[in-house]
Amino acid sequence: MEKNAKIYVAGHRGMVGSAIVRKLKEQGYNNLILRSHEELDLTDQLATRKFFEEVRPEYVFLTAAKVGGIAANMKSPADFLYENLMIECNVIEFSRKYGVKKLLFMGSSCIYPRLCPQPMKEEYLLTGPFEPTNEGYALAKVAGIKLCYYNNMQYGTKFISLIPPNIYGPGDNFNPVSSHVIAALIRKFHIAKTENHRFVEIWGTGNARREFMFVEDLADGAIFLMNNYESSEWINIGVGEDITIKHLAMLIKDIVGFKGEIRFNPSKPDGMPQKLLDISRISALGWKAKTSLIDGIKLTYKWFLKNIWRDLK
């Protein structure tokens, strides 16, 4: 990407989009195009078409999405499927029609089969059934990845798809209903510490394994791939190791300073048994994540205290 290129970050207020904006500015990209949801509803086809026709961005980071944890996905699968399909179809289609040089679509590791061999390689996509608890979201993400792939094949576009693991960090969603696991646990443990609770209850058995990546590392990797990756094949990005939810909970408990006990509720779903990405392809390109899980959680907790907790007290 040229330093003065017109770069549109779709979803710039979200955790991933805002991190990409910060990283772009750090690297000297200052001609950024940003629109809030109030300014541009990407599920609105006519509005999205008008935006691309008038603004003509040269590069697009498509991070806008409806996201949430297990509870939110189970409660609203139709919403997760519909809204994500509409966003990605509109942005990808009009990026092609109005001459975007390159687009990066942000996928998700939940696209891989529920009982996928570990670590999950790119070629394992669509080799088995999805995890039922997030099937709507996964279907939408696979559609976006395939839409990029088919546009490249049919029209010669340069649309790439990136598959990250579970992401966390500054800007995360700490809503108790719709948050992902690290944000949810930080909030739970901090409230329990503040209110002197005897225990914290966590969904599932604690045995599920997950790979977690700090959002600033994802942003750095996304920009790296935009500048160094041309293949139509989707590519994994991650840290190369995972952790059980039980050990993650113990780690966050210690960082927050909660002294009570942890109780797991096995009547609630675990989700996929394991999600560890094979990162051989991106490693071969020379890119590697820099932030350890402990350091990343400490930075996220610090951000939570400064930006979220003060408004909840």
Side-chain angles (χ1 to χ4, degrees):
M1 294 184 295
E2 308 79 22
K3 294 295 182 180
N4 63 346
K6 295 170 71 173
I7 302 171
Y8 172 44
V9 181
H12 76 282
R13 285 183 170 178
M15 173 174 58
V16 174
S18 61
I20 288 175
V21 168
R22 288 193 296 272
K23 194 66 67 173
L24 284 168
K25 290 180 178 178
E26 285 176 15
Q27 296 184 14
Y29 297 97
N30 292 307
N31 192 8
L32 305 184
I33 302 164
L34 310 174
R35 296 289 187 275
S36 66
H37 177 74
E38 292 75 22
E39 294 171 311
L40 174 60
D41 180 358
L42 293 174
T43 67
D44 184 328
Q45 188 180 56
L46 293 177
T48 307
R49 180 173 194 149
K50 182 180 179 182
F51 165 77
F52 275 90
E53 185 177 21
E54 293 179 351
V55 177
R56 304 285 175 133
E58 297 171 83
Y59 298 91
V60 173
F61 287 87
L62 178 43
T63 69
K66 179 178 177 63
V67 298
I70 288 180
N73 273 272
M74 291 175 65
K75 181 182 178 183
S76 309
D79 294 344
F80 276 88
L81 178 57
Y82 173 78
E83 291 185 32
N84 285 302
L85 280 175
M86 293 300 292
I87 290 168
E88 63 203 31
C89 285
N90 289 337
V91 173
I92 293 169
E93 174 69 0
F94 296 126
S95 290
R96 176 186 67 80
K97 284 189 173 180
Y98 293 102
V100 167
K101 293 179 180 179
K102 197 168 185 180
L103 175 145
L104 182 145
F105 175 68
M106 192 65 65
S108 167
S109 60
C110 75
I111 64 171
Y112 289 111
R114 169 177 166 76
L115 299 178
C116 193
Q118 303 290 321
M120 300 183 292
K121 297 182 179 181
E122 288 87 351
E123 56 263 35
Y124 294 161
L125 182 64
L126 296 178
T127 58
F130 296 116
E131 160 59 37
T133 59
N134 59 25
E135 185 178 84
Y137 180 73
L139 281 167
K141 285 296 181 180
V142 170
I145 289 166
K146 287 294 189 177
L147 189 55
C148 289
Y149 179 86
Y150 292 141
N151 269 289
N152 293 346
M153 184 173 66
Q154 184 175 345
Y155 294 106
T157 52
K158 293 183 179 179
F159 296 168
I160 63 174
S161 296
L162 178 57
I163 314 301
N166 291 52
I167 303 301
Y168 71 98
D172 208 340
N173 170 24
F174 289 86
N175 184 292
V177 176
S178 57
S179 58
H180 288 105
V181 60
I182 286 184
L185 291 180
I186 286 175
R187 178 185 172 119
K188 276 190 174 187
F189 281 121
H190 184 75
I191 290 175
K193 180 182 78 168
T194 304
E195 298 179 357
N196 296 312
H197 294 176
R198 292 187 298 107
F199 67 91
V200 164
E201 182 180 286
I202 298 173
W203 274 27
T205 64
N207 296 325
R209 302 187 68 90
R210 294 290 181 268
E211 178 182 9
F212 296 97
M213 186 177 198
F214 193 54
V215 70
E216 301 294 334
D217 287 341
L218 175 58
D220 183 73
I223 297 168
F224 172 85
L225 289 171
M226 191 67 113
N227 282 318
N228 295 280
Y229 189 70
E230 298 265 313
S231 174
S232 295
E233 297 292 333
W234 44 97
I235 185 169
N236 292 337
I237 184 172
V239 298
E241 59 185 34
D242 59 8
I243 184 174
T244 65
I245 298 300
K246 184 176 296 183
H247 284 100
L248 175 71
M250 293 170 62
L251 182 62
I252 295 175
K253 173 188 171 182
D254 289 343
I255 289 171
V256 171
F258 174 61
K259 302 301 182 182
E261 64 175 302
I262 299 172
R263 294 182 185 176
F264 290 92
N265 184 350
S267 70
K268 300 295 185 180
D270 277 330
M272 287 176 65
Q274 185 178 16
K275 286 201 297 182
L276 176 63
L277 293 171
D278 184 301
I279 55 171
S280 301
R281 289 185 184 176
I282 193 168
S283 297
L285 295 174
W287 187 88
K288 183 179 181 181
K290 300 170 185 171
T291 311
S292 71
L293 184 59
I294 291 176
D295 289 343
I297 293 173
K298 287 179 179 178
L299 289 168
T300 306
Y301 182 45
K302 183 178 180 180
W303 187 90
F304 166 80
L305 292 175
K306 182 178 179 181
N307 296 276
I308 304 297
W309 180 245
R310 64 180 183 182
D311 295 327
L312 297 176
K313 290 188 292 183

